[in-house]
Amino acid sequence: AGSARWWALLSVVLLAGCAMSVPNPFERSGGPPQEIRLRVENQGFNDVRLFVVTVRGPQFIGQVRGHTTRTLTIPWTRLEELSIRMEFLAEDSYVTNRVNAAPGDLLELIIPRRAANATLRRR
């Protein structure tokens, strides 16, 4: 009788452990987004260093070569207004228009040959 109870208890413990390891197919993995993506199309010849600018100041986010398109990720945890500062080697620096961004957003920065005309927008 004692051995039967022991086996029953062991079975319950094993079944509970198996049930806990089964993933829930309706649960979102990874939690809410914690970054925004920035798609940069550099139509100019020069490489550009990019900084995100907020009320907290500038933060370097990456570099994009001339005549290339690249997607950068920016750590982001709240709704906030931002702009992008573009620094070119042997050329002036420019700052884009400001946009509101939230975690999970995709932003697009088009840098034409005349970088002063660059536009930043939400997609």
Side-chain angles (χ1 to χ4, degrees):
S3 138
R5 268 190 256 153
W6 187 83
W7 281 108
L9 181 60
L10 181 61
S11 297
V12 169
V13 170
L14 288 174
L15 287 173
C18 289
M20 291 173 60
S21 66
V22 175
N24 180 349
F26 301 105
E27 186 176 283
R28 290 182 63 189
S29 63
Q34 296 296 311
E35 62 188 22
I36 59 174
R37 292 176 298 141
L38 175 66
R39 182 184 174 277
V40 181
E41 182 180 334
N42 185 358
Q43 299 172 349
F45 294 104
N46 295 332
D47 297 356
V48 61
R49 290 173 39 93
L50 301 170
F51 298 80
V52 63
V53 180
T54 67
V55 293
R56 292 173 283 147
Q59 174 189 344
F60 178 73
I61 54 174
Q63 183 168 326
V64 179
R65 294 185 153 301
H67 290 287
T68 61
T69 299
R70 180 175 176 202
T71 301
L72 305 168
T73 56
I74 304 168
W76 209 254
T77 56
R78 63 182 170 274
L79 177 64
E80 189 171 347
E81 194 175 65
L82 65 89
S83 60
I84 304 294
R85 187 173 80 211
M86 303 167 286
E87 293 184 356
F88 297 89
L89 184 62
E91 195 176 321
D92 291 335
S93 295
Y94 302 95
V95 178
T96 67
N97 54 297
R98 298 185 75 76
V99 297
N100 283 322
D105 282 352
L106 171 62
L107 303 179
E108 183 176 63
L109 173 61
I110 307 292
I111 306 171
R113 288 187 180 183
R114 183 164 151 67
N117 295 332
T119 56
L120 177 65
R121 64 182 178 186
R122 286 178 55 188
R123 296 292 297 164

